[in-house]
């Protein structure tokens, strides 16, 4: 449990009560996607705190991808997936335009500063990075790379849907295309798994 000393929308002092999966996976498994809006409303109450975290902790702009746990850069991109899933369920373009899309852009803006571009390899890398429940500090954890790729993908799709052509979108596209491959363990490589 992540205590960030800020009551959630449902009154708890814990970050997402017990766990995002435990709290909201039921909306998907029970076919109650309308409950996704409850998660969205709660998550969006953290926007200002996450922006402050980005400024104070990293001197970056945007919505801190690692709020509230430093260097866990998968947190906010992963949480944003729930908002995208809710849009796909509702097809509510006003929700996408006014609530979800600005949140996606804010996280992407932050990740453009978190990932460092290597001209020699034409790839983006992140270090230090932490994979939740795995630790320690690592390079390009699979969960961060995967969540960032997906965030970039649905941010670009959202821009098309609502007709936005902001200059940052080209940077987001470049980031998505330049993210590293998923890391494989030595055992996976020995068995020819790609």
């Amino acid at each position: 449990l992540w205590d960030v000393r800020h009551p959630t929308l449902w009154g708890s002092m814990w970050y997402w009560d017990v766990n995002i999966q435990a709290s909201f996976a039921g909306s998907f498994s029970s076919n109650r996607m309308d409950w996704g809006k409850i998660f969205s409303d709660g998550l969006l109450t953290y926007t200002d705190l996450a922006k402050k975290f980005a400024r104070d902790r990293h001197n970056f702009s945007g919505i801190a991808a690692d709020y509230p746990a430093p260097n866990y850069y998968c947190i906010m991109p992963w949480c944003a997936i729930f908002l995208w899933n809710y849009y796909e369920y509702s097809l509510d373009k006003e929700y996408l335009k006014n609530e979800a899309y600005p949140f996606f852009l804010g996280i992407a803006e932050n990740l453009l500063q978190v990932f460092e571009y290597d001209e020699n390899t034409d790839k983006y890398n992140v270090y230090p990075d932490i994979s939740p429940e795995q630790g320690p500090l690592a390079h390009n954890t699979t969960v961060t790379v995967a969540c960032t790729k997906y965030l970039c993908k649905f941010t670009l799709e959202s821009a098309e849907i609502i007709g936005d052509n902001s200059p940052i979108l080209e940077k987001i596209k470049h980031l998505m295309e330049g993210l590293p491959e998923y890391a494989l363990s030595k055992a996976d490589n020995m068995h020819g798994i790609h």
Side-chain angles (χ1 to χ4, degrees):
L1 300 176
W2 301 328
D3 184 3
V4 294
R5 299 180 196 88
H6 173 71
T8 62
L9 192 65
W10 43 92
S12 170
M13 287 299 290
W14 299 99
Y15 183 52
W16 295 125
D17 267 347
V18 177
N19 189 299
I20 295 169
Q21 298 107 314
S23 298
F24 292 96
S27 63
F28 304 99
S29 63
S30 65
N31 200 26
R32 290 300 309 264
M33 289 299 293
D34 52 314
W35 292 350
K37 185 67 166 80
I38 299 167
F39 178 80
S40 176
D41 291 347
L43 179 63
L44 293 175
T45 67
Y46 289 92
T47 301
D48 289 341
L49 289 170
K51 286 179 178 180
K52 183 178 184 325
F53 188 88
R55 281 191 313 271
D56 295 350
R57 174 101 179 132
H58 303 291
N59 199 28
F60 291 160
S61 61
I63 296 169
D66 60 339
Y67 177 79
N71 302 324
Y72 286 77
Y73 292 109
C74 66
I75 293 173
M76 282 299 182
W78 184 62
C79 289
I81 294 169
F82 286 82
L83 278 63
W84 175 247
N85 287 342
Y86 177 72
Y87 166 72
E88 287 187 310
Y89 159 77
S90 69
L91 299 178
D92 182 343
K93 287 186 182 177
E94 288 303 307
Y95 164 77
L96 182 65
K97 180 179 179 180
N98 299 318
E99 297 182 49
Y101 181 62
F103 190 70
F104 302 160
L105 277 180
I107 300 167
E109 176 187 347
N110 183 256
L111 286 167
L112 285 165
Q113 297 159 86
V114 168
F115 278 85
E116 293 183 13
Y117 181 66
D118 181 344
E119 290 182 8
N120 296 323
T121 62
D122 193 31
K123 293 288 181 192
Y124 287 87
N125 297 285
V126 58
Y127 179 85
D129 183 26
I130 300 173
S131 179
E133 300 167 6
Q134 303 298 314
L137 295 178
H139 254 98
N140 303 331
T141 65
T142 300
V143 67
T144 296
V145 172
C147 288
T148 300
K149 279 184 183 181
Y150 195 40
L151 173 82
C152 291
K153 180 181 184 299
F154 60 72
T155 299
L156 295 170
E157 286 182 38
S158 297
E160 267 188 53
I161 292 165
I162 64 172
D164 184 31
N165 60 358
S166 299
I168 193 173
L169 297 171
E170 279 302 315
K171 294 177 182 178
I172 293 169
K173 183 178 180 194
H174 194 260
L175 172 62
M176 181 177 72
E177 292 171 349
L179 287 168
E181 297 299 318
Y182 300 130
L184 297 175
S185 71
K186 192 182 289 186
D188 287 341
N189 287 331
M190 288 173 49
H191 292 93
I193 298 172
H194 302 287

